[in-house]
Amino acid sequence: MRKKILAVSAITAAAAMALAGCSGTSDPAAEGGLAIEVPDVPMMEELGDTESEVNIVAWSGFVEPEWSDTFTEQTGCTVNRRIAGTSDEMVQLMRTGDYDLVSASGDASLRLIAGGDVQPLNLDLIPNFGDDIVEGMKGQIYDTINGQSYGIPIGRGANILQYNSEVVTDEPTSWDIAWEKDSPYAGKIIAYDAPIYIADAAVYLMAHEPDLGITNPYALDEEQLAAAIDLLKQQNEIVSEYWSDPAAQITSFAGGTTVAGTSWEVLRKLSEDEKFKSVLPEEGSTGWSDAWMLASESKNPNCAYAWMDYASSPEVNGAIAMNFGMAPANAAFCETGEEAAAHCDYYNATDEEYFKKVWFWTTPIEQCIDGRTDVTCTNFQQWTDAWMTVKG
């Protein structure tokens, strides 16, 4: 569902997913991720000799010759890269059995786990997954199931409110300027063009309509989903443009068509214009987190484990984060020099208070991941169908 072009990302529509299960806690992440029924796929107990290659499905900018060639020299594993444009494409490619690893986002992870397409990971075999990996990327519900980790963190980012400070002269503190029909910037608001954007509406409703009882923007029952869609239809009346192509988003701001709306830190940076500023509003936001995941039927698991360890080192993880434009998973990178420190500061890499306000993309499923067991939540197919009604 997320599209990444020249070191930027965007959501696109994806296929449906529905899972059943049970959860006995209102905070599944506090007990080691989500508790659901998934295929019993074995975990590697020990490493063997490396094979001759590793086949990776990755976002653009994640697997580059600058570091993959060094990996080949060190391990003898030739890196074969396949760039994917969307999470949906990644899922489809992983199900062909031709790939060992994928750099999956949270909106694809649950589908891969539930489908038996990826295997749980033995963290003892990945030494660089240690104390330096930021805590906020460990044990999350999008890649940790029944206490087992299925993903090795790569990086993360927030979906923030960007604005033209020459027009929006007072720094916004709320998303209200992008959602309310009486916004002074009506007609110049930009929004995502994707079903997962429903979660952004849910985040706003959590703060402004608490009686709806939303406690997780990816766990919406039918009534809550309907409320989110109503808000999105209201927003549609003040939206100048929907975007899925990062270049189009940058152009919209630069050309003056848009003066405020959803963005990523990297897009503001790429615009290279100081009048464009951004803020994480008081309601919080959605966001994304990527992780390496290993195919359940990997033909080259030893090379794959070697890659996950290599790519988790401060130097390589940092190179990926800088190349793409995101907060690295390995905090030790932030202490490797002035450039690294500046990058980490810009992307709030080690600021867990900042990321506590971010709801990372998680594919909606029928099990309510907020812990409710007395209702059935809506799944992504229902979100996709509902999204089709938003723009008319």
Side-chain angles (χ1 to χ4, degrees):
M1 294 173 292
R2 194 149 60 90
K3 186 178 183 182
K4 296 193 173 181
I5 303 175
L6 298 178
V8 286
S9 61
I11 304 175
T12 62
M17 173 185 176
L19 296 175
C22 60
S23 174
T25 173
S26 60
D27 184 9
E31 295 188 3
L34 188 63
I36 59 175
E37 295 179 5
V38 296
D40 185 15
V41 179
M43 178 181 71
M44 285 185 64
E45 297 297 333
E46 59 183 5
L47 295 176
D49 295 334
T50 54
E51 304 83 8
S52 61
E53 64 179 2
V54 60
N55 301 297
I56 306 176
V57 178
W59 299 120
S60 176
F62 276 40
V63 182
E64 298 299 311
E66 179 181 353
W67 47 87
S68 62
D69 287 352
T70 300
F71 172 75
T72 299
E73 293 174 3
Q74 293 179 359
T75 64
C77 303
T78 298
V79 178
N80 302 311
R81 178 191 63 173
R82 169 70 179 266
I83 294 176
T86 68
S87 288
D88 197 36
E89 182 183 0
M90 285 188 168
V91 172
Q92 293 172 1
L93 288 171
M94 288 299 286
R95 288 176 176 169
T96 66
D98 295 334
Y99 299 93
D100 303 295
L101 287 172
V102 60
S103 61
S105 299
D107 54 0
S109 303
L110 282 180
R111 286 187 288 165
L112 291 168
I113 296 168
D117 303 301
V118 293
Q119 59 181 271
L121 299 173
N122 188 336
L123 301 181
D124 292 337
L125 304 181
I126 306 173
N128 280 318
F129 185 92
D131 294 338
D132 290 327
I133 300 297
V134 294
E135 288 301 317
M137 294 187 71
K138 295 178 180 179
Q140 297 300 311
I141 62 176
Y142 45 79
D143 62 14
T144 303
I145 305 299
N146 304 326
Q148 290 186 304
S149 176
Y150 287 78
I152 298 301
I154 306 170
R156 59 182 173 173
N159 298 323
I160 44 84
L161 174 61
Q162 182 173 313
Y163 62 98
N164 183 333
S165 62
E166 293 182 353
V167 180
V168 185
T169 53
D170 293 329
E171 180 181 0
T173 59
S174 169
W175 281 104
D176 57 1
I177 65 168
W179 287 102
E180 299 296 343
K181 58 185 177 182
D182 61 352
S183 168
Y185 313 107
K188 290 186 175 292
I189 301 298
I190 198 165
Y192 276 121
D193 190 1
I196 202 70
Y197 186 55
I198 292 171
D200 293 67
V203 168
Y204 189 75
L205 290 172
M206 286 170 65
H208 295 274
E209 295 190 31
D211 289 347
L212 286 169
I214 301 173
T215 59
N216 184 307
Y218 305 102
L220 305 181
D221 59 35
E222 291 186 1
E223 180 182 351
Q224 293 165 341
L225 176 61
I229 294 301
D230 285 344
L231 178 60
L232 286 158
K233 289 179 177 179
Q234 173 180 290
Q235 186 193 45
N236 174 254
E237 298 176 5
I238 65 171
V239 166
S240 58
E241 190 171 343
Y242 289 89
W243 67 282
S244 60
D245 180 352
Q249 192 266 10
I250 293 172
T251 299
S252 185
F253 268 97
T257 303
T258 293
V259 299
T262 305
S263 184
W264 297 297
E265 294 99 330
V266 65
L267 296 187
R268 177 169 66 84
K269 194 171 188 178
L270 288 173
S271 69
E272 297 181 342
D273 193 325
E274 292 185 359
K275 69 182 179 185
F276 299 125
K277 301 185 183 301
S278 63
V279 63
L280 181 63
E282 59 192 9
E283 297 93 348
S285 76
T286 60
W288 47 269
S289 179
D290 294 330
W292 301 113
M293 304 187 84
L294 176 60
S296 55
E297 301 293 336
S298 171
K299 299 179 179 66
N300 306 289
N302 295 289
C303 280
Y305 263 90
W307 173 267
M308 287 188 288
D309 187 52
Y310 171 79
S312 297
S313 67
E315 298 78 13
V316 180
N317 180 248
I320 296 171
M322 291 191 71
N323 190 50
F324 176 71
M326 63 181 173
N330 194 323
F333 165 71
C334 303
E335 302 174 4
T336 59
E338 292 184 5
E339 186 178 14
H343 177 90
C344 290
D345 181 64
Y346 183 85
Y347 290 100
N348 301 286
T350 60
D351 187 351
E352 292 303 330
E353 289 303 313
Y354 177 88
F355 282 109
K356 281 181 180 178
K357 297 185 289 184
V358 178
W359 295 88
F360 294 106
W361 289 339
T362 305
T363 305
I365 60 176
E366 290 176 358
Q367 173 189 334
C368 293
I369 60 175
D370 58 5
R372 287 180 293 168
T373 58
D374 57 338
V375 296
T376 299
C377 278
T378 51
N379 61 39
F380 199 79
Q381 182 60 57
Q382 291 170 284
W383 283 39
T384 300
D385 294 342
W387 175 251
M388 296 298 290
T389 71
V390 170
K391 295 185 295 180

